[in-house]
mmCIF file of all heavy atoms in Angstrom:
data_model
loop_
_atom_site.group_PDB
_atom_site.id
_atom_site.type_symbol
_atom_site.label_atom_id
_atom_site.label_comp_id
_atom_site.label_asym_id
_atom_site.label_seq_id
_atom_site.Cartn_x
_atom_site.Cartn_y
_atom_site.Cartn_z
ATOM 1 N N THR A 25 7.728 17.417 19.972
ATOM 2 C CA THR A 25 8.062 17.776 18.601
ATOM 3 C C THR A 25 8.537 19.224 18.528
ATOM 4 O O THR A 25 9.495 19.550 17.821
ATOM 5 C CB THR A 25 6.834 17.582 17.696
ATOM 6 O OG1 THR A 25 6.435 16.208 17.749
ATOM 7 C CG2 THR A 25 7.145 17.966 16.259
ATOM 8 N N ALA A 26 7.857 20.087 19.283
ATOM 9 C CA ALA A 26 8.237 21.504 19.261
ATOM 10 C C ALA A 26 9.636 21.712 19.811
ATOM 11 O O ALA A 26 10.402 22.552 19.324
ATOM 12 C CB ALA A 26 7.227 22.322 20.070
ATOM 13 N N GLU A 27 10.000 20.940 20.855
ATOM 14 C CA GLU A 27 11.293 21.144 21.510
ATOM 15 C C GLU A 27 12.436 20.454 20.774
ATOM 16 O O GLU A 27 13.544 20.958 20.706
ATOM 17 C CB GLU A 27 11.215 20.602 22.940
ATOM 18 C CG GLU A 27 10.269 21.402 23.843
ATOM 19 C CD GLU A 27 10.059 20.724 25.179
ATOM 20 O OE1 GLU A 27 10.694 19.662 25.400
ATOM 21 O OE2 GLU A 27 9.278 21.234 25.996
ATOM 22 N N HIS A 28 12.154 19.267 20.220
ATOM 23 C CA HIS A 28 13.258 18.458 19.679
ATOM 24 C C HIS A 28 13.128 18.120 18.208
ATOM 25 O O HIS A 28 14.032 17.526 17.637
ATOM 26 C CB HIS A 28 13.347 17.144 20.459
ATOM 27 C CG HIS A 28 13.467 17.331 21.941
ATOM 28 N ND1 HIS A 28 14.584 17.862 22.528
ATOM 29 C CD2 HIS A 28 12.588 17.077 22.950
ATOM 30 C CE1 HIS A 28 14.419 17.921 23.858
ATOM 31 N NE2 HIS A 28 13.204 17.448 24.131
ATOM 32 N N GLY A 29 12.014 18.488 17.595
ATOM 33 C CA GLY A 29 11.805 18.096 16.212
ATOM 34 C C GLY A 29 11.287 16.665 16.152
ATOM 35 O O GLY A 29 11.182 15.982 17.176
ATOM 36 N N PRO A 30 10.966 16.192 14.968
ATOM 37 C CA PRO A 30 10.429 14.850 14.812
ATOM 38 C C PRO A 30 11.402 13.806 15.344
ATOM 39 O O PRO A 30 12.620 13.911 15.180
ATOM 40 C CB PRO A 30 10.255 14.701 13.289
ATOM 41 C CG PRO A 30 10.193 16.112 12.778
ATOM 42 C CD PRO A 30 11.072 16.910 13.700
ATOM 43 N N ALA A 31 10.860 12.813 16.011
ATOM 44 C CA ALA A 31 11.700 11.757 16.570
ATOM 45 C C ALA A 31 12.363 10.960 15.468
ATOM 46 O O ALA A 31 11.775 10.683 14.441
ATOM 47 C CB ALA A 31 10.840 10.828 17.436
ATOM 48 N N ASN A 32 13.641 10.611 15.688
ATOM 49 C CA ASN A 32 14.341 9.730 14.746
ATOM 50 C C ASN A 32 15.298 8.888 15.558
ATOM 51 O O ASN A 32 16.444 9.253 15.779
ATOM 52 C CB ASN A 32 15.088 10.563 13.700
ATOM 53 C CG ASN A 32 15.773 9.672 12.673
ATOM 54 O OD1 ASN A 32 15.608 8.459 12.695
ATOM 55 N ND2 ASN A 32 16.536 10.289 11.784
ATOM 56 N N ASP A 33 14.798 7.759 16.022
ATOM 57 C CA ASP A 33 15.625 6.922 16.887
ATOM 58 C C ASP A 33 16.425 5.896 16.101
ATOM 59 O O ASP A 33 17.098 5.054 16.669
ATOM 60 C CB ASP A 33 14.769 6.197 17.937
ATOM 61 C CG ASP A 33 13.653 5.373 17.311
ATOM 62 O OD1 ASP A 33 13.656 5.239 16.071
ATOM 63 O OD2 ASP A 33 12.805 4.861 18.074
ATOM 64 N N GLY A 34 16.334 5.972 14.773
ATOM 65 C CA GLY A 34 17.121 5.061 13.963
ATOM 66 C C GLY A 34 16.526 3.689 13.830
ATOM 67 O O GLY A 34 17.113 2.824 13.184
ATOM 68 N N LEU A 35 15.367 3.482 14.430
ATOM 69 C CA LEU A 35 14.748 2.166 14.349
ATOM 70 C C LEU A 35 13.837 2.092 13.135
ATOM 71 O O LEU A 35 13.146 3.044 12.800
ATOM 72 C CB LEU A 35 13.938 1.883 15.619
ATOM 73 C CG LEU A 35 14.736 1.864 16.928
ATOM 74 C CD1 LEU A 35 13.778 1.626 18.093
ATOM 75 C CD2 LEU A 35 15.806 0.779 16.892
ATOM 76 N N VAL A 36 13.851 0.953 12.488
ATOM 77 C CA VAL A 36 12.985 0.732 11.339
ATOM 78 C C VAL A 36 11.856 -0.179 11.776
ATOM 79 O O VAL A 36 12.103 -1.257 12.322
ATOM 80 C CB VAL A 36 13.763 0.067 10.182
ATOM 81 C CG1 VAL A 36 12.831 -0.199 9.005
ATOM 82 C CG2 VAL A 36 14.920 0.947 9.759
ATOM 83 N N PRO A 37 10.591 0.235 11.610
ATOM 84 C CA PRO A 37 9.482 -0.632 12.011
ATOM 85 C C PRO A 37 9.567 -1.982 11.304
ATOM 86 O O PRO A 37 9.858 -2.055 10.111
ATOM 87 C CB PRO A 37 8.243 0.148 11.555
ATOM 88 C CG PRO A 37 8.699 1.560 11.410
ATOM 89 C CD PRO A 37 10.139 1.482 11.013
ATOM 90 N N ARG A 38 9.321 -3.041 12.069
ATOM 91 C CA ARG A 38 9.333 -4.380 11.479
ATOM 92 C C ARG A 38 8.100 -4.552 10.611
ATOM 93 O O ARG A 38 6.990 -4.286 11.051
ATOM 94 C CB ARG A 38 9.344 -5.434 12.572
ATOM 95 C CG ARG A 38 9.510 -6.846 12.026
ATOM 96 C CD ARG A 38 9.705 -7.837 13.141
ATOM 97 N NE ARG A 38 8.547 -7.895 14.015
ATOM 98 C CZ ARG A 38 8.470 -8.682 15.072
ATOM 99 N NH1 ARG A 38 9.484 -9.433 15.413
ATOM 100 N NH2 ARG A 38 7.382 -8.699 15.815
ATOM 101 N N PRO A 39 8.258 -4.993 9.371
ATOM 102 C CA PRO A 39 7.089 -5.140 8.506
ATOM 103 C C PRO A 39 6.181 -6.250 8.988
ATOM 104 O O PRO A 39 6.613 -7.168 9.666
ATOM 105 C CB PRO A 39 7.708 -5.496 7.134
ATOM 106 C CG PRO A 39 9.040 -6.090 7.472
ATOM 107 C CD PRO A 39 9.508 -5.380 8.704
ATOM 108 N N SER A 40 4.909 -6.117 8.623
ATOM 109 C CA SER A 40 3.955 -7.180 8.917
ATOM 110 C C SER A 40 4.391 -8.452 8.224
ATOM 111 O O SER A 40 4.965 -8.415 7.140
ATOM 112 C CB SER A 40 2.566 -6.771 8.419
ATOM 113 O OG SER A 40 1.729 -7.877 8.319
ATOM 114 N N PRO A 41 4.138 -9.650 8.827
ATOM 115 C CA PRO A 41 4.520 -10.898 8.178
ATOM 116 C C PRO A 41 3.926 -11.044 6.797
ATOM 117 O O PRO A 41 4.486 -11.717 5.941
ATOM 118 C CB PRO A 41 3.976 -11.962 9.143
ATOM 119 C CG PRO A 41 3.884 -11.291 10.460
ATOM 120 C CD PRO A 41 3.555 -9.865 10.151
ATOM 121 N N SER A 42 2.770 -10.432 6.569
ATOM 122 C CA SER A 42 2.120 -10.599 5.275
ATOM 123 C C SER A 42 2.614 -9.602 4.235
ATOM 124 O O SER A 42 2.242 -9.658 3.088
ATOM 125 C CB SER A 42 0.607 -10.460 5.425
ATOM 126 O OG SER A 42 0.305 -9.175 5.882
ATOM 127 N N THR A 43 3.457 -8.662 4.651
ATOM 128 C CA THR A 43 3.974 -7.679 3.708
ATOM 129 C C THR A 43 5.254 -8.215 3.093
ATOM 130 O O THR A 43 6.283 -8.274 3.729
ATOM 131 C CB THR A 43 4.268 -6.346 4.419
ATOM 132 O OG1 THR A 43 3.094 -5.939 5.116
ATOM 133 C CG2 THR A 43 4.654 -5.279 3.428
ATOM 134 N N HIS A 44 5.181 -8.604 1.854
ATOM 135 C CA HIS A 44 6.349 -9.171 1.176
ATOM 136 C C HIS A 44 7.017 -8.085 0.364
ATOM 137 O O HIS A 44 6.354 -7.320 -0.331
ATOM 138 C CB HIS A 44 5.900 -10.319 0.269
ATOM 139 C CG HIS A 44 7.041 -11.153 -0.225
ATOM 140 N ND1 HIS A 44 7.782 -10.818 -1.318
ATOM 141 C CD2 HIS A 44 7.562 -12.307 0.250
ATOM 142 C CE1 HIS A 44 8.716 -11.736 -1.528
ATOM 143 N NE2 HIS A 44 8.598 -12.655 -0.586
ATOM 144 N N PRO A 45 8.337 -7.977 0.456
ATOM 145 C CA PRO A 45 9.029 -6.896 -0.248
ATOM 146 C C PRO A 45 8.723 -6.857 -1.731
ATOM 147 O O PRO A 45 8.740 -5.802 -2.340
ATOM 148 C CB PRO A 45 10.517 -7.191 0.017
ATOM 149 C CG PRO A 45 10.528 -8.025 1.256
ATOM 150 C CD PRO A 45 9.258 -8.821 1.241
ATOM 151 N N SER A 46 8.471 -8.020 -2.331
ATOM 152 C CA SER A 46 8.246 -8.035 -3.761
ATOM 153 C C SER A 46 6.779 -7.916 -4.135
ATOM 154 O O SER A 46 6.420 -8.000 -5.292
ATOM 155 C CB SER A 46 8.799 -9.337 -4.356
ATOM 156 O OG SER A 46 8.127 -10.456 -3.798
ATOM 157 N N SER A 47 5.911 -7.725 -3.145
ATOM 158 C CA SER A 47 4.486 -7.649 -3.436
ATOM 159 C C SER A 47 4.183 -6.405 -4.251
ATOM 160 O O SER A 47 4.552 -5.299 -3.879
ATOM 161 C CB SER A 47 3.673 -7.605 -2.142
ATOM 162 O OG SER A 47 3.835 -8.789 -1.408
ATOM 163 N N PRO A 48 3.484 -6.578 -5.369
ATOM 164 C CA PRO A 48 3.100 -5.404 -6.149
ATOM 165 C C PRO A 48 1.993 -4.654 -5.449
ATOM 166 O O PRO A 48 1.304 -5.199 -4.590
ATOM 167 C CB PRO A 48 2.599 -6.027 -7.465
ATOM 168 C CG PRO A 48 2.124 -7.386 -7.072
ATOM 169 C CD PRO A 48 3.033 -7.831 -5.953
ATOM 170 N N PRO A 49 1.810 -3.394 -5.795
ATOM 171 C CA PRO A 49 0.713 -2.655 -5.169
ATOM 172 C C PRO A 49 -0.629 -3.209 -5.582
ATOM 173 O O PRO A 49 -0.770 -3.834 -6.620
ATOM 174 C CB PRO A 49 0.914 -1.226 -5.703
ATOM 175 C CG PRO A 49 1.647 -1.413 -6.993
ATOM 176 C CD PRO A 49 2.540 -2.600 -6.792
ATOM 177 N N ALA A 50 -1.630 -2.960 -4.744
ATOM 178 C CA ALA A 50 -2.986 -3.348 -5.091
ATOM 179 C C ALA A 50 -3.554 -2.357 -6.088
ATOM 180 O O ALA A 50 -3.118 -1.220 -6.184
ATOM 181 C CB ALA A 50 -3.857 -3.383 -3.841
ATOM 182 N N VAL A 51 -4.536 -2.831 -6.830
ATOM 183 C CA VAL A 51 -5.205 -1.978 -7.800
ATOM 184 C C VAL A 51 -6.580 -1.625 -7.257
ATOM 185 O O VAL A 51 -7.307 -2.493 -6.790
ATOM 186 C CB VAL A 51 -5.350 -2.708 -9.149
ATOM 187 C CG1 VAL A 51 -6.172 -1.865 -10.115
ATOM 188 C CG2 VAL A 51 -3.985 -2.995 -9.741
ATOM 189 N N HIS A 52 -6.923 -0.348 -7.308
ATOM 190 C CA HIS A 52 -8.253 0.076 -6.889
ATOM 191 C C HIS A 52 -9.185 0.016 -8.080
ATOM 192 O O HIS A 52 -8.768 -0.011 -9.226
ATOM 193 C CB HIS A 52 -8.211 1.485 -6.306
ATOM 194 C CG HIS A 52 -7.338 1.586 -5.104
ATOM 195 N ND1 HIS A 52 -7.528 0.801 -4.004
ATOM 196 C CD2 HIS A 52 -6.252 2.357 -4.841
ATOM 197 C CE1 HIS A 52 -6.605 1.095 -3.089
ATOM 198 N NE2 HIS A 52 -5.827 2.022 -3.583
ATOM 199 N N SER A 53 -10.463 0.013 -7.780
ATOM 200 C CA SER A 53 -11.445 -0.152 -8.837
ATOM 201 C C SER A 53 -11.498 1.034 -9.786
ATOM 202 O O SER A 53 -12.103 0.951 -10.843
ATOM 203 C CB SER A 53 -12.827 -0.382 -8.232
ATOM 204 O OG SER A 53 -13.163 0.679 -7.377
ATOM 205 N N ASP A 54 -10.846 2.158 -9.432
ATOM 206 C CA ASP A 54 -10.819 3.295 -10.344
ATOM 207 C C ASP A 54 -9.583 3.277 -11.232
ATOM 208 O O ASP A 54 -9.333 4.192 -11.992
ATOM 209 C CB ASP A 54 -10.885 4.617 -9.563
ATOM 210 C CG ASP A 54 -9.687 4.811 -8.652
ATOM 211 O OD1 ASP A 54 -8.870 3.877 -8.540
ATOM 212 O OD2 ASP A 54 -9.576 5.897 -8.057
ATOM 213 N N GLY A 55 -8.808 2.189 -11.105
ATOM 214 C CA GLY A 55 -7.617 2.057 -11.926
ATOM 215 C C GLY A 55 -6.355 2.553 -11.270
ATOM 216 O O GLY A 55 -5.260 2.304 -11.765
ATOM 217 N N SER A 56 -6.473 3.258 -10.141
ATOM 218 C CA SER A 56 -5.290 3.730 -9.435
ATOM 219 C C SER A 56 -4.674 2.583 -8.656
ATOM 220 O O SER A 56 -5.261 1.525 -8.512
ATOM 221 C CB SER A 56 -5.663 4.871 -8.483
ATOM 222 O OG SER A 56 -6.538 4.405 -7.480
ATOM 223 N N SER A 57 -3.479 2.803 -8.171
ATOM 224 C CA SER A 57 -2.837 1.753 -7.385
ATOM 225 C C SER A 57 -2.223 2.384 -6.154
ATOM 226 O O SER A 57 -2.029 3.591 -6.079
ATOM 227 C CB SER A 57 -1.748 1.042 -8.195
ATOM 228 O OG SER A 57 -0.719 1.956 -8.546
ATOM 229 N N SER A 58 -1.942 1.534 -5.170
ATOM 230 C CA SER A 58 -1.320 2.034 -3.946
ATOM 231 C C SER A 58 -0.610 0.905 -3.263
ATOM 232 O O SER A 58 -0.943 -0.252 -3.450
ATOM 233 C CB SER A 58 -2.375 2.628 -3.009
ATOM 234 O OG SER A 58 -3.264 1.633 -2.562
ATOM 235 N N SER A 59 0.393 1.252 -2.489
ATOM 236 C CA SER A 59 1.090 0.247 -1.708
ATOM 237 C C SER A 59 0.339 0.023 -0.414
ATOM 238 O O SER A 59 -0.485 0.831 -0.008
ATOM 239 C CB SER A 59 2.518 0.702 -1.413
ATOM 240 O OG SER A 59 3.222 0.897 -2.620
ATOM 241 N N ALA A 60 0.665 -1.086 0.251
ATOM 242 C CA ALA A 60 0.000 -1.382 1.519
ATOM 243 C C ALA A 60 0.334 -0.317 2.542
ATOM 244 O O ALA A 60 1.426 0.212 2.584
ATOM 245 C CB ALA A 60 0.434 -2.752 2.017
ATOM 246 N N THR A 61 -0.651 -0.003 3.369
ATOM 247 C CA THR A 61 -0.459 1.016 4.384
ATOM 248 C C THR A 61 -0.591 0.428 5.761
ATOM 249 O O THR A 61 -1.033 -0.693 5.932
ATOM 250 C CB THR A 61 -1.534 2.109 4.243
ATOM 251 O OG1 THR A 61 -2.808 1.513 4.477
ATOM 252 C CG2 THR A 61 -1.524 2.750 2.874
ATOM 253 N N GLY A 62 -0.223 1.208 6.764
ATOM 254 C CA GLY A 62 -0.520 0.892 8.167
ATOM 255 C C GLY A 62 -0.235 -0.522 8.556
ATOM 256 O O GLY A 62 0.855 -0.853 8.997
ATOM 257 N N ASP A 63 -1.231 -1.402 8.395
ATOM 258 C CA ASP A 63 -1.081 -2.762 8.870
ATOM 259 C C ASP A 63 -0.364 -3.636 7.867
ATOM 260 O O ASP A 63 -0.197 -4.819 8.077
ATOM 261 C CB ASP A 63 -2.449 -3.373 9.199
ATOM 262 C CG ASP A 63 -3.406 -3.339 8.033
ATOM 263 O OD1 ASP A 63 -2.960 -2.974 6.935
ATOM 264 O OD2 ASP A 63 -4.578 -3.695 8.237
ATOM 265 N N GLY A 64 0.027 -3.087 6.746
ATOM 266 C CA GLY A 64 0.750 -3.877 5.767
ATOM 267 C C GLY A 64 -0.131 -4.811 4.987
ATOM 268 O O GLY A 64 0.372 -5.629 4.235
ATOM 269 N N LEU A 65 -1.445 -4.710 5.151
ATOM 270 C CA LEU A 65 -2.322 -5.692 4.542
ATOM 271 C C LEU A 65 -3.271 -5.078 3.532
ATOM 272 O O LEU A 65 -3.480 -5.623 2.470
ATOM 273 C CB LEU A 65 -3.152 -6.395 5.626
ATOM 274 C CG LEU A 65 -2.345 -7.059 6.732
ATOM 275 C CD1 LEU A 65 -3.294 -7.622 7.768
ATOM 276 C CD2 LEU A 65 -1.467 -8.155 6.173
ATOM 277 N N VAL A 66 -3.880 -3.970 3.880
ATOM 278 C CA VAL A 66 -4.978 -3.460 3.082
ATOM 279 C C VAL A 66 -4.718 -2.042 2.619
ATOM 280 O O VAL A 66 -4.767 -1.114 3.421
ATOM 281 C CB VAL A 66 -6.295 -3.480 3.884
ATOM 282 C CG1 VAL A 66 -7.454 -3.108 2.989
ATOM 283 C CG2 VAL A 66 -6.511 -4.844 4.475
ATOM 284 N N PRO A 67 -4.405 -1.848 1.364
ATOM 285 C CA PRO A 67 -4.291 -0.481 0.876
ATOM 286 C C PRO A 67 -5.617 0.240 1.026
ATOM 287 O O PRO A 67 -6.659 -0.288 0.663
ATOM 288 C CB PRO A 67 -3.934 -0.659 -0.607
ATOM 289 C CG PRO A 67 -3.388 -2.043 -0.696
ATOM 290 C CD PRO A 67 -4.112 -2.824 0.352
ATOM 291 N N ARG A 68 -5.570 1.420 1.582
ATOM 292 C CA ARG A 68 -6.812 2.175 1.756
ATOM 293 C C ARG A 68 -7.280 2.688 0.400
ATOM 294 O O ARG A 68 -6.532 3.334 -0.315
ATOM 295 C CB ARG A 68 -6.575 3.345 2.699
ATOM 296 C CG ARG A 68 -7.831 4.163 2.962
ATOM 297 C CD ARG A 68 -7.522 5.300 3.896
ATOM 298 N NE ARG A 68 -8.690 6.126 4.117
ATOM 299 C CZ ARG A 68 -8.684 7.218 4.846
ATOM 300 N NH1 ARG A 68 -7.579 7.607 5.426
ATOM 301 N NH2 ARG A 68 -9.774 7.921 5.002
ATOM 302 N N PRO A 69 -8.513 2.407 0.015
ATOM 303 C CA PRO A 69 -8.998 2.892 -1.280
ATOM 304 C C PRO A 69 -8.920 4.410 -1.367
ATOM 305 O O PRO A 69 -9.163 5.120 -0.398
ATOM 306 C CB PRO A 69 -10.467 2.415 -1.303
ATOM 307 C CG PRO A 69 -10.504 1.261 -0.347
ATOM 308 C CD PRO A 69 -9.498 1.593 0.710
ATOM 309 N N SER A 70 -8.565 4.886 -2.550
ATOM 310 C CA SER A 70 -8.504 6.337 -2.745
ATOM 311 C C SER A 70 -9.903 6.917 -2.660
ATOM 312 O O SER A 70 -10.888 6.229 -2.888
ATOM 313 C CB SER A 70 -7.903 6.634 -4.121
ATOM 314 O OG SER A 70 -8.732 6.083 -5.127
ATOM 315 N N PRO A 71 -10.024 8.214 -2.320
ATOM 316 C CA PRO A 71 -11.355 8.813 -2.186
ATOM 317 C C PRO A 71 -12.202 8.631 -3.426
ATOM 318 O O PRO A 71 -13.403 8.436 -3.347
ATOM 319 C CB PRO A 71 -11.041 10.290 -1.918
ATOM 320 C CG PRO A 71 -9.677 10.276 -1.292
ATOM 321 C CD PRO A 71 -8.948 9.151 -1.951
#
């Protein structure tokens, strides 16, 4: 990273099969919402 900057190979990560483009974000119990993260399945609850 120091020598070349952040990698950008032009590749787009393939979404998880369960991540549907039209899926609305999940709602957390505090009323906030978030999109799926990491594995495309489970939005991490806000602190």
